[in-house]
Amino acid sequence: MGNQGVISLGDAFVDYVSVDSTNTKFQPLLGGATVNVAVGTSRLGILTYYLCKLGKDKISTFVEQELTKEGINTDFSVQTASKKICGVYVHTNESGERYFHSYINETPDEVLTANEIKKEVFDHAKVFYFGSGTLFHEKSKEATETSILYAKDCGNLIAFDTNIRLKRWESEEQCRQTIISFLKKADLVKIAEDELYFLTKTNSFEAGLEALSVWKIPFLFVTMGAKGAHAVMNGNKVFSSAPKVVSVDTTGAGDAFMSALLYCFHEKGKPTHQSQLIKYLQFANHVGAAATTMIGSLTANLDFCELKKQHL
């Protein structure tokens, strides 16, 4: 049968979402880009492993239980007594609209380290996915580099979502150079249009693609929000428009898009011709768009079976 499964490496978050405009009571929800992608691939029916550092308090127990409910394997994550899960507080204004209020990280140096990454999980899996959300931390960066080495050695497809959050970085240039160094190591890269311009220091789509071409990324996907997305393979570019939906919350749409891509590559393999690439792109667009029709960052209640029938 061969290797099966997607590995998602990152840092789990808990989103504390206020229940009303008094902003005194909060509902805890599982969050974080790499968690969103792990949930997405698991709900699509793919064996999914999540690698992170967890604590031993109630919040870490909540995170682990929620991941387990989603069918995600956390056997290769690491627990320490001192780790505290990062928290994001989301408040509600008088109009009922939600907005980011604050980010709490009590243990910023409690991260997965290179020696805590176990090669065994890469021996089992088919795809290794990571984002840039932890690369600003030197130890996390080293753990990611070790994971890439294991993934390459085990023949895993390596997928990278640039997913830039500048506030986490010491400087724009540190962010740019670090992410570029990882672009060169990936087989599949997803990047948003504004991130393309930031990383390449360009201001047009064609100029950005030309700048990225020097790194010879085998499969490049550029998302453009409600407009759709482009894909580039062997220097050939294709475009698929996004379906028209009533969008209520775009949080996690890019993560849903990435989950759909990972499903395609895991189940169908690397696209070998343009028509197959377009199918992958259309499926990812529809999953990403459907995720915006519900409140929250997770792809809850999407009819994946119907979407698969329609597009794959």
Side-chain angles (χ1 to χ4, degrees):
M1 187 175 178
N3 289 17
Q4 293 294 310
V6 172
I7 299 167
S8 180
L9 169 70
D11 202 8
F13 285 71
V14 171
D15 295 334
Y16 298 95
V17 181
S18 64
V19 298
D20 56 40
S21 60
T22 64
N23 298 311
T24 55
K25 293 183 180 179
F26 298 88
Q27 178 185 6
L29 298 171
L30 198 58
T34 53
V35 167
N36 295 342
V37 172
V39 170
T41 55
S42 183
R43 288 180 179 176
L44 279 161
I46 302 295
L47 172 64
T48 301
Y49 302 91
Y50 192 63
L51 309 185
C52 70
K53 183 156 283 188
L54 296 166
K56 296 186 178 181
D57 58 6
K58 288 182 180 179
I59 297 302
S60 282
T61 300
F62 165 78
V63 168
E64 192 165 17
Q65 287 174 343
E66 291 298 300
L67 289 169
T68 301
K69 283 180 190 175
E70 293 290 349
I72 295 167
N73 185 309
T74 60
D75 290 350
F76 297 93
S77 289
V78 174
Q79 277 190 331
T80 62
S82 53
K83 170 69 177 179
K84 303 293 181 185
I85 298 295
C86 301
V88 175
Y89 282 84
V90 180
H91 283 198
T92 304
N93 63 22
E94 294 296 333
S95 303
E97 297 172 335
R98 292 173 174 171
Y99 62 94
F100 170 82
H101 179 266
S102 57
Y103 165 71
I104 308 296
N105 186 0
E106 296 179 52
T107 54
D109 293 321
E110 279 282 351
V111 296
L112 270 183
T113 59
N115 67 322
E116 291 171 330
I117 302 294
K118 302 295 187 287
K119 189 180 179 185
E120 181 186 351
V121 65
F122 298 88
D123 289 329
H124 297 318
K126 185 184 285 188
V127 176
F128 170 60
Y129 151 79
F130 67 102
S132 71
T134 55
L135 295 179
F136 63 90
H137 194 290
E138 191 59 35
K139 287 184 178 179
S140 287
K141 190 174 83 165
E142 289 171 0
T144 305
E145 289 168 340
T146 295
S147 297
I148 290 172
L149 289 175
Y150 288 161
K152 283 186 180 292
D153 190 49
C154 296
N156 300 163
L157 179 89
I158 298 170
F160 179 33
D161 187 346
T162 52
N163 202 19
I164 297 169
R165 299 293 181 266
L166 275 176
K167 289 183 179 179
R168 296 179 182 174
W169 296 83
E170 289 181 8
S171 69
E172 288 190 2
E173 196 56 25
Q174 182 209 24
C175 173
R176 183 180 291 111
Q177 293 306 318
T178 300
I179 290 176
I180 286 173
S181 72
F182 281 89
L183 288 179
K184 303 171 185 178
K185 302 173 183 179
D187 302 304
L188 185 166
V189 171
K190 182 185 85 65
I191 183 172
E193 183 181 15
D194 60 331
E195 296 172 343
L196 172 69
Y197 301 146
F198 169 76
L199 290 176
T200 60
K201 296 185 179 180
T202 59
N203 54 19
S204 77
F205 184 72
E206 293 301 331
L209 285 188
E210 179 64 26
L212 274 193
S213 68
V214 302
W215 298 309
K216 303 186 186 306
I217 299 163
F219 302 98
L220 174 67
F221 294 84
V222 184
T223 57
M224 308 180 81
K227 291 184 287 185
H230 290 267
V232 183
M233 178 180 73
N234 298 325
N236 298 314
K237 182 179 67 177
V238 298
F239 174 77
S240 174
S241 59
K244 302 298 181 185
V245 297
V246 178
S247 177
V248 297
D249 186 0
T250 60
T251 307
D255 302 328
F257 181 99
M258 189 64 167
S259 297
L261 282 184
L262 297 184
Y263 170 83
C264 292
F265 277 79
H266 185 280
E267 292 296 284
K268 309 291 183 180
K270 296 176 183 178
T272 56
H273 46 81
Q274 192 163 297
S275 60
Q276 188 179 17
L277 182 66
I278 291 172
K279 280 188 176 182
Y280 287 12
L281 193 57
Q282 290 173 336
F283 179 62
N285 269 338
H286 276 78
V287 172
T292 71
T293 62
M294 300 162 288
I295 295 291
S297 61
L298 298 180
T299 52
N301 303 319
L302 296 188
D303 190 346
F304 287 129
C305 290
E306 185 58 33
L307 287 170
K308 290 175 192 175
K309 286 179 187 176
Q310 290 175 8
H311 301 286
L312 299 174

